[in-house]
Amino acid sequence: MMTLLALAQATFDQGALAADGDRDAARAVILRQQDAFRHDDAAAAYAEAAPAIRSIFPSAETFIGMVRQGYAPVYRNRRFEFGTDEALPDGSLAQGVRIQDQDGTDWEALYTLERSGDGAWRITGCRLRKAPGASA
């Protein structure tokens, strides 16, 4: 059974890069959310989440609590740099990110984003795994 991350990686290997304008806009959304996490600004971080995510986590406080617990390397990190991006067939985008957490462990994140009704990109998900070769 192929994991979602492996499927996304396979898609990266076969698909087209996102158009520059879409790539820049999607990365700006991710960076705004990163900045919000860095400043413990739950409302600003939550604002970058897609409606489907907001329906699962109905308040900014619930959302940021989930990120603190389940996505600590995303929430607080030493390094956060963009990797490969991809325009997906359904019109959404996937953006790879290389992260180093506070303890020096390397991680790979795969963000997915969709365009909302107002035309802005919003984050629909983030898959996180330790980078190959990172110690457990």
Side-chain angles (χ1 to χ4, degrees):
M1 178 182 222
M2 187 177 269
T3 67
L4 185 56
L5 188 59
L7 179 61
Q9 186 61 46
T11 302
F12 273 180
D13 294 341
Q14 299 172 2
L17 294 177
D20 287 343
D22 288 338
R23 176 187 308 118
D24 293 345
R27 288 179 176 186
V29 168
I30 294 167
L31 287 174
R32 281 194 302 270
Q33 191 175 67
Q34 268 298 292
D35 188 57
F37 290 149
R38 200 170 6 267
H39 292 98
D40 291 314
D41 186 343
Y46 190 66
E48 302 304 339
I53 299 299
R54 290 193 303 260
S55 72
I56 296 168
F57 304 98
S59 75
E61 292 73 27
T62 303
F63 172 73
I64 204 164
M66 174 277 299
V67 174
R68 281 183 192 126
Q69 283 193 318
Y71 295 83
V74 171
Y75 185 69
R76 290 284 190 267
N77 50 69
R78 290 182 185 178
R79 189 185 68 223
F80 189 94
E81 56 189 43
F82 291 112
T84 307
D85 60 77
E86 162 108 31
L88 301 176
D90 66 359
S92 63
L93 294 175
Q95 175 64 63
V97 178
R98 291 177 300 275
I99 299 171
Q100 186 173 74
D101 68 19
Q102 293 291 335
D103 298 325
T105 302
D106 292 324
W107 296 82
E108 295 176 346
L110 181 66
Y111 281 82
T112 52
L113 300 95
E114 68 182 11
R115 200 178 298 275
S116 64
D118 65 2
W121 289 101
R122 295 289 176 248
I123 298 168
T124 58
C126 178
R127 300 280 181 200
L128 184 65
R129 72 173 186 162
K130 283 193 176 175
S135 59

